[in-house]
């Protein structure tokens, strides 16, 4: 279970979720009509080794029962990752087209956009995460010979604290419009920490700034209890659902308009369907369901 000041490595606790989604992006990107292709995702997974490396590189027979390969959980989850990658790639494209030159990626994890989005050339991209995650990312990419297209700056922080000064010490200018990204983060912080994070983002946003946000509706209590019950033969830290805060929380599509911003909320299910990637979801999804995910873009008027 979580505590409000816990920490992790790239392959433990919350850190391991960055590797898990990188593995899902790798598999999703190998589909013939993939919604998004992230060629760096597999570089991270391979460097970390273990069962995810077997999943992406090994004999498929060895990983046929891995959750990311199954129809019930794996397929919707892979489409979820590809869908959100595409949505936020397009979000950044539109922001850069509008003239924004400052990007802040909260909980960047193994996000590779600073290395792969051509319109990030000449843009300053701040990547915020825990030091252990940023260390793994830097060392892995340096060893593989990659360099960023953007002016990429690492900012090691705990996003449950007041991190704005540390961001500003890295060169961030709150007077310039910013495109922020909050993807794959909110479920890992408490509802109170989320509200504080929204306050900081809003406070540091010049007119014209935007925020891209991924949100998840909490699981119904009985489902959450069922999926967090650890079997005797299952390691406790292998249970993803035990890492999240499954409590009701502010909806970004309401919170930001309440502070004078415009908002547009898109249900992931609708987004996937509109892009020809509707996922049939069966009974046993391991709790995860694309209908629980929504993608939000908010903008502070000029
Ligand atoms: C599921 S990964 C998502 C990474 C990336 N945004 C993506 O979508 O691929 C969650 C990330 O959130 C980071 N994270 C969670 N809580 C954090 C906190 N309190 N401070 C800094 N980083 C945090 C983790 O270290 C991890 O890299």
């Amino acid at each position: 279970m979580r505590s409000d000041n816990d920490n992790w490595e790239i392959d433990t606790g919350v850190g391991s979720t960055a590797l898990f989604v990188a593995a899902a992006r790798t598999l999703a990107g190998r589909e013939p009509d993939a919604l998004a292709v992230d060629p760096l995702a597999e570089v991270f997974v391979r460097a970390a080794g273990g069962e995810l490396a077997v999943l992406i590189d090994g004999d498929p027979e060895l990983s046929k029962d891995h959750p990311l390969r199954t129809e019930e959980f794996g397929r919707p989850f892979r489409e979820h990752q590809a869908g959100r990658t595409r949505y936020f790639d397009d979000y950044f494209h539109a922001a850069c087209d509008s003239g924004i030159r400052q990007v802040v990626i909260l909980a960047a994890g193994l996000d590779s956009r600073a290395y792969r989005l051509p319109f990030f050339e000449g843009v300053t991209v701040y990547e915020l995460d825990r030091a252990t995650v940023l260390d793994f990312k830097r060392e892995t990419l340096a060893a593989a010979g990659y360099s960023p297209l953007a002016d990429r700056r690492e900012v090691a922080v705990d996003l449950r604290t007041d991190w704005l000064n540390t961001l500003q010490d890295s060169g961030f200018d709150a007077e310039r419009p910013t495109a922020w990204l909050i993807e794959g983060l909110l479920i890992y912080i408490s509802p109170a920490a989320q509200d504080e994070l929204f306050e900081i983002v809003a406070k540091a946003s010049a007119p014209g700034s935007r925020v891209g946000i991924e949100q998840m509706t909490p699981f119904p209590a009985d489902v959450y209890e069922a999926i967090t019950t650890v079997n005797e033969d299952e390691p406790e830290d292998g249970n993803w659902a035990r890492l999240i805060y499954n409590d009701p929380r502010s909806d970004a599509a309401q919170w930001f308009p309440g502070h004078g911003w415009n908002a547009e909320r898109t249900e992931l299910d609708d987004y996937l369907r509109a892009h020809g990637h509707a996922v049939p979801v069966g009974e046993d999804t391991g709790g995860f369901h694309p209908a629980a995910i929504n993608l939000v873009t908010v903008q502070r008027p000029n």
Side-chain angles (χ1 to χ4, degrees):
M1 283 296 182
R2 300 290 310 281
S3 66
D4 287 342
N5 56 1
D6 54 353
N7 201 0
W8 46 85
E9 306 288 325
I10 187 64
D11 55 358
T12 61
V14 179
S16 64
T17 66
L19 273 176
F20 191 78
V21 295
R25 279 200 293 273
T26 301
L27 296 181
R30 291 177 181 173
E31 300 289 331
D33 61 343
L35 269 179
V37 178
D38 173 0
L40 271 77
E42 65 182 37
V43 177
F44 296 119
V45 177
R46 202 166 286 137
E51 65 163 27
L52 292 177
V54 174
L55 172 74
I56 63 154
D57 283 338
D59 177 350
E61 194 51 31
L62 292 174
S63 58
K64 68 178 186 331
D65 297 327
H66 190 281
L68 280 175
R69 281 230 189 274
T70 63
E71 271 298 297
E72 298 77 19
F73 168 83
R75 182 159 172 223
F77 192 81
R78 295 190 313 261
E79 289 290 8
H80 163 214
Q81 295 305 310
R84 80 183 197 187
T85 301
R86 171 74 167 272
Y87 177 93
F88 292 120
D89 282 2
D90 291 348
Y91 156 80
F92 276 131
H93 199 173
C96 290
D97 266 358
S98 80
I100 290 179
R101 289 287 171 272
Q102 181 167 260
V103 162
V104 181
I105 303 181
L106 303 180
L110 305 176
D111 181 312
S112 69
R113 291 184 173 95
Y115 293 80
R116 68 177 174 78
L117 295 183
F119 46 83
F120 269 0
E121 219 165 302
V123 172
T124 307
V125 176
Y126 297 91
E127 294 193 2
L128 278 57
D129 209 300
R130 304 311 307 265
T132 49
V133 174
L134 293 170
D135 289 348
F136 170 78
K137 186 172 188 174
R138 180 186 340 100
E139 287 159 14
T140 301
L141 293 180
Y146 287 95
S147 21
L149 302 170
D151 171 7
R152 175 179 173 270
R153 305 189 190 181
E154 295 178 5
V155 187
V157 288
D158 184 337
L159 291 162
R160 297 163 294 191
T161 64
D162 190 354
W163 41 267
L164 185 56
N165 285 340
T166 315
L167 176 61
Q168 286 173 319
D169 289 346
S170 307
F172 173 82
D173 181 358
E175 300 302 315
R176 294 170 61 205
T178 302
W180 306 81
L181 178 61
I182 306 175
E183 179 188 25
L185 167 66
L186 295 179
I187 53 175
Y188 301 112
I189 61 177
S190 68
Q194 170 179 316
D195 284 347
E196 283 163 26
L197 182 124
F198 285 176
E199 293 282 356
I200 296 172
V201 168
K203 182 173 78 177
S205 288
S209 295
R210 305 169 184 207
V211 194
I213 304 147
E214 184 205 25
Q215 314 187 106
M216 191 176 98
T217 309
F219 293 109
D222 56 333
V223 173
Y224 188 66
E225 197 185 326
I227 62 176
T228 48
T229 302
V230 179
N231 300 324
E232 268 168 32
D233 56 348
E234 188 189 356
E236 189 181 326
D237 65 0
N239 185 299
W240 164 79
R242 291 173 77 101
L243 298 172
I244 72 170
Y245 289 80
N246 190 55
D247 310 293
R249 53 182 66 233
S250 306
D251 175 358
Q254 292 180 356
W255 192 96
F256 281 92
H259 290 72
W261 296 51
N262 304 319
E264 193 180 290
R265 173 177 155 149
T266 305
E267 305 307 309
L268 178 69
D269 253 356
D270 295 339
Y271 184 81
L272 292 176
R273 197 171 309 111
H275 287 77
H277 280 251
V279 267
V281 177
E283 293 277 297
D284 183 16
T285 60
F288 172 75
H289 198 299
I293 307 288
N294 62 83
L295 308 167
V296 179
T297 298
V298 298
Q299 182 165 4
R300 186 173 167 201
N302 280 306

